[in-house]
Amino acid sequence: MYDSGHSDRIRPGTAPDAVADRRVRRTRTALHRALIELMQEQSYARITVQDIIDRADVGRSTFYAHYRDKDDLLLVSCIEHVRAEIAAQLARYQGEPPPLAPVEILFRLIAAHPDVYRPLVGQRANATVLRSIRQMYAELLSEHLGARLGSDPVEAAATLAFLSWGLYGLLESVMDPRQELTAEQAYRRFATLWAGAGDSPEGIPVGGGDG
């Protein structure tokens, strides 16, 4: 299943490490795709590692060589997808993207795929997943907004923690059908948080599409 049609034999002039890297990427892609397909068919809570490896057509030992459990697979896959999608959309801007463009992209992305990201937040997510996903938000904010938080590292770290928790809470609300909060509304609320936390809130552009 999901056979790419390419041989794993080492071709002349091909470094063994490069071949191994391709195998790793192919295996991880197959596992990620299998999990997403299964999540479209049934709830995440009902999916087992056996279901995933059967769908991906890989062995159990291969799965555990890459991931601790299904939560780890979901977390790593989602983080990789989020980062790749943000990078791709930022590249479409003509000129410098607005400071909050990555956050706006994140809100739109998660709103478009709530069933995929919902297991990462809320009461059903385990503590390890919650810590990891919030850390990802903190790193994302640090990469794109850290330079605007002033020179005091202690204050900057505290502000990033505040913003990452705010971002987490807003994203959770977007994925909660009881909240009736749209991605655009949540993004505007985060922009308000940022305007109060950033070192130069005046005149900071607030998103505005893909340029």
Side-chain angles (χ1 to χ4, degrees):
M1 189 175 291
Y2 306 124
D3 185 2
S4 66
H6 298 294
S7 172
D8 284 337
R9 290 179 299 174
I10 299 178
R11 299 173 183 173
T14 302
D17 286 348
V19 174
D21 287 344
R22 285 200 296 271
R23 289 174 180 167
V24 168
R25 288 196 300 269
R26 189 156 53 243
T27 298
R28 291 166 73 95
T29 297
L31 289 168
H32 170 67
R33 187 179 302 159
L35 177 59
I36 298 304
E37 288 180 358
L38 288 165
M39 290 175 67
Q40 293 171 344
E41 299 169 5
Q42 58 185 296
S43 70
Y44 176 74
R46 295 176 60 87
I47 298 171
T48 66
V49 169
Q50 189 63 50
D51 293 332
I52 297 168
I53 62 177
D54 286 346
R55 181 67 63 94
D57 194 21
V58 303
R60 181 172 288 269
S61 60
T62 299
F63 177 91
Y64 286 111
H66 294 274
Y67 303 104
R68 292 188 302 273
D69 49 32
K70 70 172 186 177
D71 289 341
D72 190 34
L73 167 61
L74 178 64
L75 178 65
V76 172
S77 298
C78 287
I79 288 176
E80 290 177 350
H81 181 250
V82 164
R83 287 189 172 278
E85 189 65 23
I86 287 175
Q89 293 197 33
L90 288 179
R92 298 175 190 156
Y93 277 86
Q94 296 180 355
E96 187 72 17
L100 293 185
V103 177
E104 186 177 21
I105 293 168
L106 177 61
F107 275 113
R108 291 202 305 261
L109 181 63
I110 288 182
H113 306 284
D115 291 339
V116 174
Y117 292 96
R118 190 173 289 120
L120 295 174
V121 300
Q123 297 179 351
R124 294 185 179 181
N126 66 42
T128 300
V129 169
L130 291 177
R131 284 196 301 270
S132 298
I133 199 68
R134 195 190 68 79
Q135 180 63 30
M136 187 269 283
Y137 295 154
E139 291 174 358
L140 180 69
L141 294 174
S142 178
E143 290 167 12
H144 295 279
L145 300 177
R148 296 172 176 268
L149 294 177
S151 58
D152 187 326
V154 175
E155 288 189 9
T159 301
L160 282 172
F162 165 73
L163 290 172
S164 65
W165 277 113
L167 179 59
Y168 179 91
L170 288 168
L171 288 168
E172 182 178 9
S173 295
V174 169
M175 288 182 282
D176 186 346
R178 299 169 299 179
Q179 297 282 350
E180 297 184 352
L181 186 69
T182 68
E184 176 64 21
Q185 291 169 335
Y187 167 70
R188 293 289 169 179
R189 291 187 186 182
F190 181 83
T192 300
L193 290 178
W194 165 247
D199 65 340
S200 55
E202 295 298 327
I204 292 179
V206 181
D210 294 332

